[in-house]
Amino acid sequence: MTEFSLNIAENVVEKLGSLEHEENSLACRDEDELKKLKHSMLVIKDVLIDAEEKRSNSPELRLWLKQLNHVFYDAEDVLDELEVENLRRQVIDRGNFYTRKVLRCFSSSNPLIFRSTIGRKLKRINEGLDAIAAGNVKRQLTERAEERRPLNRERGTHSFVHSADIIGRDEDKEKIIQLLLHPMAQDECFVVTANSKRIEKSVQHISIPDPDSARRDFPMLSQDLDQVRTVFIHSDKDVLASNSILETCLSRFKYLRALNLSRSQFKELPKKIGKMKHLRYLDLSWNHRIKRLPNSICKLQNLQTLFLGGCDEIEELPRGMRYMESLRFLWLATRQTSLPRDEIGCLKSLRFLWIATCEKLERLFEDMENLSALRSLYIVTCPSLKSLPRSLQYLTSLQDLHISGCEALNFHNQEACEFKLKKLVLCFLEAVQELPEWLIRGSADTLKSLKLEFCPELHELPACLKTFSALQELQILGCPRLAERCDRETGDDWEKIAHIPKVIVDNVDVIKQT
């Protein structure tokens, strides 16, 4: 529990540090309260190592740590509110004068009301920390910050990361993606089974494999399992029981951070999902029963990851996704023919966007230019998609573009893109005849990998490829007309690709070919 408390404390201190460096932040108006909060957090954090060694023999100390966690969570939430509101102000400032004037008249956007509310919350948190620090337990503990061991903890994140700061971190990015796709290691989970007699109050992760065992064991769950951060429900046997289990989770786990419902067959989500203000990760992927998401899901303004991939029966995405301003990872599916403006295009923090298994989708949203932090864009299995929006060219941070299974897609001429791609993959594009220069010309100094697979009508490579100095690998597979032009020395396109260290055509390394 103490290492858990230490992680939260460090995350709060890190968020406080990021707010100190954010110019024009609303936090500046509560500077005294924030400084007091940071000082209190640092002082308490230094005694938590001593608390770890002594807690097993002290019921009083265990209660103290529980009270401390409540205040830590509240502090983390207030700082998250500040980050989200600062982001919202940036979005509003991009609008016209009339829009800004109207939005700031409402209480939810009025900076005076917001600062007053945040000020009261910070004051209550500081008073709570003062009361906890003044107790007898604190005086029994010794500061031992110098003995602090390195922890394998989840690194805190915030919304104010400049894109230039994380370019070139491809390996770390892949690790992050894997952690998001598999957030719970098996040895960290408490599995609810029919043999479970009790659940320790300090457990952080709960896995519920099926409704049969959960019916028996869920009544044993106490009302105050505040340590539970992650719940994984895999219950495809009984939909009614699954919904009941989910209702119980949302009611009892106040500080839930991650909810994994992947491959569970829920028909609908409870509206109270919007009240889970601590939730950071929500996975609904490969749920083939669910047809509609409640609009209340858009109230999850601290949510950073939302996976809807494979939910191919969703009739329409929830309205109000523009308010989910903390989203960094979004994987969506829908039966809509077009994605609306002023929704996904407003997600300024978005880093990774997957649009997949959207069989009826003909048009993407037209306001992509606002996705200034987007690094990876995957458009997969959208057979009705006819063209890409012109605003695609303004994705200045885009590094990884993957388009696959879009049978009707064709590249219409437009202005050269401003992004600097590192990887481009085009697969199963039956209508594409040319690799357009406007798509890749701006990436001449950055593109490292180019894959062209199963594009039967693709018949020529662009002349600009011979100037691509960073290109290390070109793979061509299932493109018969193009393959012939890439024959070593004799192919019509050979001079365009001869400088590339690795050229694989239909699984043959052309460069090494003798």
Side-chain angles (χ1 to χ4, degrees), residues 89-187:
R89 288 180 68 211
Q90 295 175 30
V91 172
I92 292 174
D93 288 341
R94 291 200 303 268
N96 57 42
F97 172 78
Y98 179 75
T99 302
R100 294 196 298 268
K101 188 173 181 180
V102 170
L103 285 174
R104 285 170 178 165
C105 287
F106 293 100
S107 60
S108 59
S109 299
N110 190 309
L112 295 177
I113 296 176
F114 179 82
R115 282 197 294 267
S116 177
T117 303
I118 289 295
R120 288 196 299 271
K121 289 182 178 180
L122 286 172
K123 186 175 181 180
R124 284 199 298 269
I125 290 168
N126 281 324
E127 289 173 350
L129 286 175
D130 288 344
I132 292 173
N136 293 327
V137 174
K138 170 65 169 58
R139 289 193 288 270
Q140 299 171 15
L141 300 174
T142 304
E143 291 187 8
R144 296 169 56 181
E146 71 280 358
E147 299 178 23
R148 172 73 196 281
R149 64 184 184 285
L151 297 175
N152 181 21
R153 68 181 185 90
E154 173 187 352
R155 181 169 177 83
T157 59
H158 55 83
S159 303
F160 307 113
V161 179
H162 297 289
S163 59
D165 294 341
I166 47 179
I167 286 177
R169 303 293 297 275
D170 294 333
E171 184 177 346
D172 292 338
K173 180 187 74 175
E174 292 300 324
K175 291 179 181 178
I176 292 171
I177 293 175
Q178 291 304 314
L179 286 172
L180 288 167
L181 291 173
H182 309 285
M184 296 175 299
Q186 185 62 35
D187 58 356

Side-chain angles (χ1 to χ4, degrees), residues 46-92:
D46 287 344
V47 302
L48 288 176
I49 294 176
D50 193 45
E52 181 177 11
E53 296 182 359
K54 298 177 179 179
R55 69 182 175 90
S56 58
N57 298 322
S58 173
E60 186 182 14
L61 182 55
R62 289 196 293 271
L63 177 61
W64 182 78
L65 286 170
K66 180 178 178 180
Q67 294 171 339
L68 203 58
N69 280 342
H70 280 295
V71 181
F72 283 179
Y73 273 129
D74 289 339
E76 191 175 32
D77 284 337
V78 170
L79 299 180
D80 282 341
E81 283 186 57
L82 276 168
E83 287 184 354
V84 170
E85 185 61 24
N86 283 329
L87 263 179
R88 197 213 309 269
R89 288 180 68 211
Q90 295 175 30
V91 172
I92 292 174

Side-chain angles (χ1 to χ4, degrees), residues 64 76 100 105 119 163 173 189 197-198 200-201 204 211 216 238 242 249 257 266 323 348 358 423 432 471 481 502 504:
W64 182 78
E76 191 175 32
R100 294 196 298 268
C105 287
S163 59
K173 180 187 74 175
C189 295
K197 300 300 182 184
R198 65 190 181 90
E200 296 290 344
K201 289 188 176 183
Q204 294 184 27
R216 173 173 175 174
D238 187 329
S242 301
C249 288
R257 287 298 203 263
F266 292 91
Y323 298 121
K348 191 178 178 182
C358 303
K423 182 177 182 180
V432 172
L471 193 56
R481 301 178 67 181
K502 187 174 184 180
I504 308 294

Side-chain angles (χ1 to χ4, degrees), residues 419-421 440-448 464-471 499:
F419 47 65
K420 303 290 185 180
L421 291 178
I440 64 171
R441 190 184 306 136
S443 304
D445 298 328
T446 58
L447 189 67
K448 295 182 178 180
C464 66
L465 267 186
K466 59 184 177 183
T467 66
F468 277 49
S469 58
L471 193 56
H499 66 289

Side-chain angles (χ1 to χ4, degrees), residues 219-236:
M220 300 181 199
L221 293 179
S222 64
Q223 294 286 347
D224 57 351
L225 280 175
D226 296 334
Q227 299 295 334
V228 174
R229 300 188 75 189
T230 304
V231 172
F232 174 42
I233 302 177
H234 185 90
S235 48
D236 54 358

Side-chain angles (χ1 to χ4, degrees), residues 403-430:
I403 306 175
S404 176
C406 302
E407 300 167 6
L409 179 66
N410 217 326
F411 294 110
H412 302 294
N413 290 330
Q414 62 181 60
E415 295 181 12
C417 293
E418 297 180 7
F419 47 65
K420 303 290 185 180
L421 291 178
K422 291 185 176 180
K423 182 177 182 180
L424 174 62
V425 178
L426 302 178
C427 297
F428 296 100
L429 305 180
E430 296 183 3

Side-chain angles (χ1 to χ4, degrees), residues 2 15 22 45 48 57 92 96 104 147 190-191 198 220 239 244 264 268 279 299 356 388 408 414 428 440 480-481 508:
T2 309
K15 285 177 180 291
E22 180 63 21
K45 184 168 68 74
L48 288 176
N57 298 322
I92 292 174
N96 57 42
R104 285 170 178 165
E147 299 178 23
F190 184 97
V191 181
R198 65 190 181 90
M220 300 181 199
V239 174
S244 176
S264 298
E268 60 183 17
L279 204 61
K299 295 180 179 179
L388 299 176
Q414 62 181 60
F428 296 100
I440 64 171
R481 301 178 67 181
V508 175

